[in-house]
Amino acid sequence: MATLILVRHGRSTANTAAVLAGRTPGVALDEHGVEQAAALPGRLAAVSLAVAVTSPQQRCRETLAPLLAARPGLEPVTEDRIAECDYGDWSGRKLAELADDPLMEVVQHHPSAAVFPGGESMRAMQQRAVEAVRDWDARVTAEHGPDAAFLMCTHGDIIKAIVADALGLHLDLFQRLHAEPCSVTAVRYTRTRPFLLRLGDTGDLGSLGPRPDRRDGAPGPGEEGTPEGNAVVGGGAGAP
């Protein structure tokens, strides 16, 4: 099966303002996020990509722009199923204002029971994202072969939900995972089980390219990032 390269969008103006952006329109990359996006083509230079799939949110499309410019033959495909979680009435609000809301404790410790007012449940978010990943993995494998790689540019909570599924973790444990802005997470799906190759990697990605010594399905090196204390809904900003 193919290898999935998950890219979280670069740091956004909502990240630096500590606002839960959700699907609020007009949320762009901030200055540092633009720099992160500009570095992405070099980081992925050794990785051949069959297709680039993106969330419809502006910050994801801006993150992919330099990579697409560097690879004129790579056409982006918008996938609504990897859009940001619909936080409903929470969207656009300061995270500090939401910290004392009783729902935040549920989001942190029992996310499988969390339903955002006027929005979607975290269970529904995971289900649609995992279905998208599985569908695209089967499609890319059928069209480009089992050694192909495909990229999805999406959001922190979406990436954590996909990784939790790949690891066989209950959704209630997904807040233990973390992905920095513009980090890369890689999952290789095989016939019997997925392998997590990278998690929240912000460094060089050359080893994700083809290697003659890699056996089908063998996991490569990976790095994990686990934040202390509560996870920030929406993924957090990360350090500049």
Side-chain angles (χ1 to χ4, degrees), residues 90-157:
W90 277 26
S91 300
R93 294 180 60 188
K94 288 276 190 179
L95 289 165
E97 298 173 0
L98 298 169
D100 295 329
D101 190 305
L103 179 59
M104 181 60 82
E105 186 176 14
V106 180
V107 169
Q108 292 294 328
H109 302 292
H110 191 21
S112 65
V115 182
F116 294 99
E120 70 178 331
S121 70
M122 300 195 90
R123 294 190 316 278
M125 174 196 75
Q126 183 183 45
Q127 181 178 1
R128 62 174 167 82
V130 170
E131 285 181 352
V133 164
R134 298 287 185 163
D135 287 350
W136 276 100
D137 179 69
R139 176 176 172 179
V140 170
T141 300
E143 294 180 2
H144 300 277
D147 293 326
F150 66 107
L151 182 148
M152 284 186 159
C153 187
T154 182
H155 308 267
D157 281 350

Side-chain angles (χ1 to χ4, degrees), residues 3-8 36-49 63-64 67 71 149-152 180-187 197-211 214 220-223:
T3 298
L4 167 63
I5 310 294
L6 288 163
V7 176
R8 185 182 170 197
Q36 290 175 319
L40 193 59
R43 294 173 59 208
L44 287 168
V47 185
S48 178
L49 296 172
T63 298
L64 271 191
L67 179 65
R71 303 190 188 196
F150 66 107
L151 182 148
M152 284 186 159
E180 291 284 326
C182 221
S183 65
V184 168
T185 295
V187 180
L197 307 181
R198 298 286 181 94
L199 175 60
D201 195 318
T202 57
D204 177 73
L205 300 165
S207 65
L208 289 175
R211 292 210 314 264
R214 176 175 289 174
E223 296 179 354

Side-chain angles (χ1 to χ4, degrees), residues 147-208:
D147 293 326
F150 66 107
L151 182 148
M152 284 186 159
C153 187
T154 182
H155 308 267
D157 281 350
I158 298 292
I159 292 171
K160 289 158 55 178
I162 292 168
V163 170
D165 171 76
L167 292 177
L169 292 178
H170 195 281
L171 184 61
D172 286 344
L173 301 179
F174 101 128
Q175 297 290 28
R176 301 184 184 192
L177 304 170
H178 185 63
E180 291 284 326
C182 221
S183 65
V184 168
T185 295
V187 180
R188 180 165 177 81
Y189 292 91
T190 73
R191 184 177 61 84
T192 56
R193 59 182 173 180
F195 290 97
L196 179 64
L197 307 181
R198 298 286 181 94
L199 175 60
D201 195 318
T202 57
D204 177 73
L205 300 165
S207 65
L208 289 175

Side-chain angles (χ1 to χ4, degrees), residues 8-83:
R8 185 182 170 197
H9 63 79
R11 198 175 73 178
S12 72
T13 54
N15 291 145
T16 47
V19 168
L20 186 61
R23 299 180 180 182
T24 305
V27 177
L29 298 182
D30 69 5
E31 183 177 351
H32 182 61
V34 171
E35 294 174 354
Q36 290 175 319
L40 193 59
R43 294 173 59 208
L44 287 168
V47 185
S48 178
L49 296 172
V51 64
V53 184
T54 181
S55 156
Q57 269 68 58
Q58 177 180 337
R59 52 198 183 275
C60 290
R61 291 185 280 108
E62 289 181 350
T63 298
L64 271 191
L67 179 65
L68 298 174
R71 303 190 188 196
L74 189 63
E75 294 290 336
V77 180
T78 299
E79 171 59 80
D80 290 339
R81 291 178 294 176
I82 60 169

